[in-house]
Amino acid sequence: MRIIIDKMILPCVFESDNRRHDDFKPILKCIVQCKGVMVFGGDQFVNKEYGDYKDFLIKYRSLIVELYRNGRVDILNKDTVNKLVDELKKIEPNKDFDDPHIIACVIIGKCQIVCTDDKRAEKNIKDIRFYKVSTQRPSIYKNKKNHLKLLRDCF
């Protein structure tokens, strides 16, 4: 199961003292103990999105490196992601469309789940115009109560 974690959700997944951790603990368990793989790539994710969370990444660096060594983190080819981001921006030129990097990573990384609570991102992620076939569209995980079933392969 391949999973993208939006930047605002990173602390919810990895920090046990986060007030929303209980909702996202199954995502962490899926990545650490099961078949889950955290996916990201491209300039937007690495430099801007996750770059805003440098302190977080430094704090959890050893865990993320260990997950990477164990095949639980997949960093997609930057140039491939960036090229697809540019193509997606041509499909939707609106300046409010600020999540093409997530969609590019979904397509290239063949991701089944995106963890986000951003309604605008969710709308764009679900937009069929960006996908060649509807089966490429991922499910959105927002909380344990309503979305735990999405992790059926892990539990």
Side-chain angles (χ1 to χ4, degrees), residues 7 21 31 34 76 80-82 84 94-95 99 107 112 117 120 127 129 132 134-135 138 141 143 146:
K7 75 174 183 177
H21 179 67
I31 293 169
C34 193
L76 303 173
T80 305
V81 173
N82 291 343
L84 184 52
N94 189 325
K95 293 198 185 294
D99 298 305
I107 294 168
Q112 294 89 11
D117 60 0
R120 188 174 57 186
D127 191 331
R129 295 178 300 152
K132 290 181 181 172
S134 63
T135 55
Y141 183 102
N143 59 59
N146 298 318

Side-chain angles (χ1 to χ4, degrees), residues 6-21:
D6 197 5
K7 75 174 183 177
M8 295 174 293
I9 302 299
L10 280 171
C12 302
V13 173
F14 287 96
E15 295 183 347
S16 59
D17 60 346
N18 185 288
R19 66 177 179 80
R20 297 184 59 205
H21 179 67

Side-chain angles (χ1 to χ4, degrees), residues 46-47 49-60:
V46 175
N47 297 334
E49 298 287 318
Y50 283 6
D52 291 344
Y53 284 77
K54 283 181 182 156
D55 292 339
F56 168 85
L57 292 173
I58 290 168
K59 182 177 179 181
Y60 290 96

